[in-house]
Amino acid sequence: MDGATHGYIQRKDDYLKRLRRIEGQARGLQRMVDEESYCIDILTQVTAMTKALQAVSLGLLEEHMNHCVINAAQESDEAGQVKVREAMDAVTRLVRS
């Protein structure tokens, strides 16, 4: 790490709470498979977990844009362009997933 603060740091606890809930959902999914629950019920829970992960991803992306990209753009056009490319690469990965 480069020692810079990250945009999400102000909401770090919120992200950790969300990720812990998602972790619980994953354990619940494992339990459902182990207990041979109905496939559609499992898929419904997979969808809920996927949406929760997407919400975390979008929040982190917004924080990145509002903090990292803006700070880099204030530093220089080149630095700003690098951060925008990073953000676009992240968006591309999210859309493909």
Side-chain angles (χ1 to χ4, degrees), residues 60-71 83-84 87:
L60 288 169
L61 182 60
E62 181 179 6
E63 299 288 345
H64 178 70
M65 298 296 288
N66 286 325
H67 182 268
C68 302
V69 173
I70 287 174
N71 287 348
K83 292 297 181 187
V84 168

Side-chain angles (χ1 to χ4, degrees), residues 29-37 42:
L29 280 167
Q30 291 170 358
R31 189 169 39 259
M32 290 177 79
V33 170
D34 187 49
E35 295 171 358
E36 300 177 9
S37 297
I42 295 170

Side-chain angles (χ1 to χ4, degrees), residues 11-57:
R11 295 178 50 204
K12 179 181 173 181
D13 289 340
D14 292 337
Y15 286 114
L16 288 172
K17 285 177 192 174
R18 287 181 181 191
L19 290 168
R20 286 184 188 110
R21 274 188 297 237
I22 292 166
E23 183 180 24
Q25 286 177 298
R27 283 192 302 273
L29 280 167
Q30 291 170 358
R31 189 169 39 259
M32 290 177 79
V33 170
D34 187 49
E35 295 171 358
E36 300 177 9
S37 297
Y38 185 55
C39 346
I40 297 302
D41 293 341
I42 295 170
L43 289 169
T44 298
Q45 292 307 308
V46 167
T47 300
M49 189 172 157
T50 300
K51 295 283 186 195
L53 282 168
Q54 288 172 342
V56 169
S57 297

